Amino acid sequence: MVVLRKLPGMPGWPAALGLRLPQKFLFLLFLSGLLTLCFGALFLLPDSSRFKRLFLPRRATASASSSSSSSASSSSAASSSSTRDTDLPRSPPAAAEPRHASPAAPRRLREKLRTAARMAGPPAHTAPGSRQQVQGGEGRAESATGAPPPRETRTPFRFDYQRFRRSLRHPVRGRRPGEDPETRARRMKIKEMMKFAWDNYKQYALGKNELRPLTKNGHIGNMFGGLRGATVIDALDTLYIMELEEEFQEAKKWVEKSFDLNVNGEASLFEVNIRYIGGLLAAYYLTGEEVFKSKALELGEKLLPAFNTPTGIPRGVINLGSGMSWSWGWASAGSSILAEFGTLHLEFLHLSELSGNPVFAEKVMNIRKVLNRVEKPQGLYPNFLSPVTGNWVQHHVSIGGLGDSFYEYLIKSWLMSDKKDSESKKMYDDALEAIEKHLVKKSAGGLTYIAEWRGGILDHKMGHLACFSGGMIALGAEHAGEERKQHYMDLAAEITNTCHESYARSDTKLGPEAFRFDAGSEAMATRLSERYYILRPEVVESYMYMWRLTHHPKYRQWGWEVVQALEKYCRVEAGFSGIRDVYTTTPTHDNMQQSFFLAETLKYLYLLFCEDDVLSLDDWVFNTEAHPLPVNHTNFKASVQ
Ligand code: DMJ
């Protein structure tokens, strides 16, 4: 109580205020309360606060971080500590209910949740295999035993880009042997379309997510959590492959100067992964430019808190600022979506490969573990899974929307591993067998299609999205046993043919969002709400694979028909736009140039008219947004310098 001592020549404070004894007592009580509060508040300051470091010993500030980080980093093991923990900041379910918990939660609790979320994503660029470094936070210098690791064991990690380039079997942009003039002219036309799409985006919408080509402005939307420039990131590798050098430099400059990752909004984990992380990874592998790698890794870390659930199955939506995550409001009973959590594998393996940080690979390997453990009805994978119990929530199965790219990533995981990941190949083979047995049907008119399944009842409808499966099945057929190979190639060709029919039977020669095989309908939309086309790539994606694997000229011919239809019905003054009805030759436009038009539709069309060694299937797998990721020829051995 030094401050209250009576100083010579000065009256004591209470006395100076003319207080009597009971009042003095009350005043003292108030003052001591105030002091206690001030001291307590130090603990609420962020660990980085100078005041905190001044007043509290360093160890005390670090301990909270290190305990939450160790919990978070082990949460990838499905049933390990995360299911047992009840301590709130270490408890994934609590962190996973922010929408409801957040507004009412006291400030301290919210701060702890944020800390837990942050610590789930340790910084990359750490030494491979050094577990204590994976468990980020200020306490990360300590090992599991509490002792600091000897300095010399912390080997710096550097991915050896030159070594990776030497491992490729073909030059990235091909060798350019002689080719017929028509093929070249068609390829050049597609390149011109890409330049037109990019130039208009650049002129009217650079920095926004998509171009609105009718109103000549940009669209941001709410899918990417405040991230901008989806079209830039999606376009990078297409510009590079098409040798649009100047345009590629413009896009790269935007990434360097304007691509801001410090955003604070609700993002789709899936969309950010396939478009942004996929796009950045591909741009890095194609060019070796460090900026793409570092942005991909930084963004990857921001996605990690979504995995803090009791099973390690991530939730679909994540706030990129706070790390809080939750399920889509429309997903039944707080479930996660098969096509979303099942479409992370390729990108996350590369994030681990490039950073030397195993956490990304652990997260997706755990997803596979959960999926392998759960009982599959008739061998099928339903689209909704609870991230809390790890059980299916609803028995809706689809190879189109909600399910699609999960199957794609099974076969591509195997291919990307240079055919070593036999577990994913088996999962793919088993899934395809079940799909063929229960969902593949032939229409009265002889068209093969893949129906949807609702608890055992078939819905005889195929979405445009499901049309990627022709290409996927062909890709898998290449590697099926001799006796199945032809069978699967035939199935792939039949499905691709059906999807072509859905285009051929429309007035615009572009396909509807969904088409049906019931009530006398054959490969046509029967509902008004399904007649639109939003520049989707899946049908030309299958043409590209079928061309590469069979070289049947009809696939190039079909692709060219799409080019002509796009020019006629989707090209407008300032870019390309989706249309609202494919069954009229005077369609209205939806005023949206989707970023996947540049990433996928134009890239697949271009590759259809390239030689096979341009982004050769020997060296690359395309992620579900058509961003090429390299096959692991060198066993992805990290280069330690
Ligand atoms: C793309 O973003 C991806 O292909 C995704 O897998 C599904 N849909 C769109 C394009 O239609």
Side-chain angles (χ1 to χ4, degrees):
M1 293 290 103
V2 180
V3 285
L4 294 177
R5 206 182 53 206
K6 189 176 171 192
L7 297 175
M10 282 181 74
W13 284 9
L17 295 170
L19 300 177
R20 291 212 205 97
L21 200 62
Q23 288 167 324
K24 280 181 192 167
F25 177 73
L26 277 176
F27 184 78
L28 281 175
L29 209 63
F30 168 75
L31 220 56
S32 60
L34 198 67
L35 277 172
T36 316
L37 255 176
C38 289
F39 185 70
L42 278 176
F43 289 93
L44 294 176
L45 288 172
D47 288 350
S48 55
S49 161
R50 276 215 206 121
F51 288 114
K52 189 166 189 171
R53 296 213 174 129
L54 213 62
F55 290 106
L56 294 177
R58 191 175 175 79
R59 223 183 140 66
T61 62
S63 64
S65 313
S66 64
S67 71
S68 53
S69 74
S70 64
S71 160
S73 66
S74 61
S75 72
S76 63
S79 56
S80 63
S81 61
S82 64
T83 49
R84 291 196 307 270
D85 285 351
T86 48
D87 179 24
L88 205 47
R90 294 159 45 126
S91 162
E97 308 293 340
R99 269 217 158 140
H100 323 291
S102 182
R107 192 193 186 83
R108 176 88 196 269
L109 172 59
R110 288 207 304 272
E111 192 55 52
K112 285 175 97 183
L113 287 172
R114 263 198 288 274
T115 308
R118 262 201 317 271
M119 302 327 294
H125 311 297
T126 53
S130 72
R131 189 77 202 172
Q132 70 276 15
Q133 293 195 7
V134 168
Q135 299 169 353
E138 291 198 32
R140 90 175 63 105
E142 292 188 355
S143 71
T145 59
R151 275 232 158 256
E152 52 284 7
T153 62
R154 297 218 243 144
T155 356
F157 175 83
R158 192 177 75 84
F159 176 78
D160 189 339
Y161 183 76
Q162 292 312 323
R163 180 156 173 256
F164 148 69
R165 284 302 291 239
R166 286 195 298 275
S167 80
L168 295 177
R169 294 177 182 160
H170 306 271
V172 171
R173 294 192 276 205
R175 269 192 197 84
R176 323 189 162 277
E179 60 187 339
D180 67 284
E182 185 186 72
T183 303
R184 190 186 136 72
R186 290 184 170 183
R187 192 172 69 239
M188 288 304 123
K189 173 65 200 164
I190 297 159
K191 181 172 171 177
E192 183 279 326
M193 292 164 78
M194 178 70 185
K195 182 165 165 45
F196 181 69
W198 169 262
D199 284 349
N200 279 290
Y201 167 76
K202 187 186 70 181
Q203 182 170 356
Y204 299 112
L206 184 64
K208 303 289 190 320
N209 284 323
E210 295 95 3
L211 163 71
R212 287 187 176 279
L214 296 187
T215 44
K216 299 185 182 169
N217 58 354
H219 173 256
I220 293 175
N222 52 11
M223 241 171 13
F224 306 120
L227 291 174
R228 303 287 173 94
T231 294
V232 180
I233 309 290
D234 253 357
L236 277 165
D237 52 15
T238 311
L239 294 172
Y240 181 82
I241 286 302
M242 292 184 178
E243 298 178 61
L244 287 162
E245 308 293 354
E246 204 179 298
E247 292 75 6
F248 174 79
Q249 290 305 329
E250 290 162 0
K252 183 184 140 198
K253 194 164 142 217
W254 184 87
V255 175
E256 285 168 338
K257 301 245 166 7
S258 313
F259 184 35
D260 183 9
L261 299 184
N262 290 318
V263 293
N264 190 9
E266 302 166 8
S268 155
L269 174 72
F270 164 79
E271 296 290 355
V272 169
N273 178 58
I274 66 167
R275 300 193 201 205
Y276 283 89
I277 295 197
L280 289 164
L281 286 173
Y284 172 68
Y285 282 117
L286 291 175
T287 65
E289 299 279 359
E290 289 290 316
V291 63
F292 301 130
K293 180 175 88 175
S294 60
K295 296 278 184 192
L297 296 178
E298 201 183 323
L299 193 50
E301 285 170 21
K302 286 176 184 285
L303 300 184
L304 288 173
F307 294 79
N308 289 347
T309 65
T311 56
I313 295 286
R315 295 185 190 266
V317 186
I318 179 162
N319 182 305
L320 296 175
S322 68
M324 289 179 171
S325 66
W326 52 90
S327 303
W328 292 106
W330 49 263
S332 50
S335 54
S336 297
I337 310 300
L338 181 69
E340 296 197 329
F341 64 77
T343 310
L344 303 166
H345 204 97
L346 305 181
E347 297 82 359
F348 273 50
L349 287 197
H350 279 289
L351 290 176
S352 277
E353 172 65 11
L354 291 180
S355 65
N357 185 343
V359 71
F360 303 102
E362 286 167 6
K363 298 292 182 201
V364 290
M365 289 313 290
N366 175 61
I367 293 176
R368 185 183 287 180
K369 201 159 105 191
V370 174
L371 285 174
N372 268 327
R373 211 172 29 214
V374 64
E375 177 92 14
K376 266 87 56 197
Q378 321 268 7
L380 295 166
Y381 288 82
N383 292 336
F384 299 94
L385 187 86
S386 163
V388 176
T389 64
N391 291 323
W392 306 115
V393 172
Q394 227 188 51
H395 282 188
H396 171 221
V397 178
S398 154
I399 199 151
L402 304 178
D404 49 6
S405 40
F406 159 68
Y407 305 99
E408 177 186 355
Y409 272 34
L410 288 179
I411 187 66
K412 288 183 176 174
S413 295
W414 180 69
L415 290 169
M416 200 177 83
S417 73
D418 212 9
K419 303 175 194 158
K420 296 193 177 71
D421 181 359
S422 49
E423 186 177 51
S424 62
K425 177 71 161 54
K426 175 156 177 30
M427 287 170 80
Y428 171 80
D429 287 342
D430 292 350
L432 185 58
E433 202 178 308
I435 286 168
E436 200 180 352
K437 186 162 168 202
H438 299 289
L439 309 185
V440 173
K441 298 284 157 201
K442 205 166 256 241
S443 72
L447 295 178
T448 303
Y449 63 97
I450 308 184
E452 298 192 4
W453 193 82
R454 296 174 195 279
I457 301 185
L458 287 184
D459 188 0
H460 297 271
K461 146 194 172 195
M462 217 172 145
H464 193 290
L465 289 167
C467 283
F468 86 98
S469 60
M472 176 189 74
I473 294 169
L475 201 54
E478 267 282 289
H479 311 282
E482 262 328 297
E483 71 299 350
R484 302 299 284 158
K485 191 172 169 157
Q486 193 51 50
H487 169 76
Y488 281 134
M489 272 321 279
D490 292 345
L491 179 60
E494 285 170 30
I495 290 168
T496 307
N497 179 60
T498 301
C499 291
H500 172 252
E501 283 301 314
S502 78
Y503 276 47
R505 293 173 190 211
S506 80
D507 297 42
T508 54
K509 305 300 168 210
L510 294 166
E513 180 65 4
F515 44 94
R516 294 180 182 264
F517 300 88
D518 51 17
S521 165
E522 291 258 337
M524 287 188 68
T526 54
R527 302 175 186 189
L528 272 179
S529 61
E530 294 172 343
R531 297 163 78 120
Y532 62 90
Y533 171 68
I534 56 167
L535 308 174
R536 284 198 192 278
E538 291 77 16
V539 175
V540 293
E541 175 180 350
S542 283
Y543 295 168
M544 192 282 288
Y545 282 110
M546 292 305 295
W547 163 257
R548 286 243 171 139
L549 298 168
T550 67
H551 290 131
H552 195 299
K554 74 180 170 193
Y555 297 113
R556 276 188 166 169
Q557 190 45 43
W558 291 353
W560 188 244
E561 286 165 14
V562 176
V563 169
Q564 290 172 310
L566 286 168
E567 283 286 284
K568 193 162 177 190
Y569 296 107
C570 298
R571 189 169 179 141
V572 294
E573 194 192 319
F576 287 90
S577 166
I579 55 177
R580 295 193 196 281
D581 186 352
V582 296
Y583 300 110
T584 166
T585 50
T586 51
T588 51
H589 294 102
D590 68 5
N591 195 21
M592 184 67 78
Q593 179 177 285
Q594 302 282 350
S595 76
F596 52 68
F597 181 65
L598 291 86
E600 300 191 71
T601 313
L602 291 176
K603 187 189 284 133
Y604 285 133
L605 282 169
Y606 183 82
L607 291 176
L608 183 59
F609 294 96
C610 281
E611 295 298 313
D612 293 355
D613 60 356
V614 181
L615 288 179
S616 163
L617 298 180
D618 292 339
D619 284 328
W620 303 91
V621 292
F622 293 93
N623 89 337
T624 195
E625 189 79 359
H627 295 306
L629 300 172
V631 170
N632 177 6
H633 292 315
T634 51
N635 236 345
F636 283 167
K637 273 196 202 94
S639 160
V640 178
Q641 304 287 307

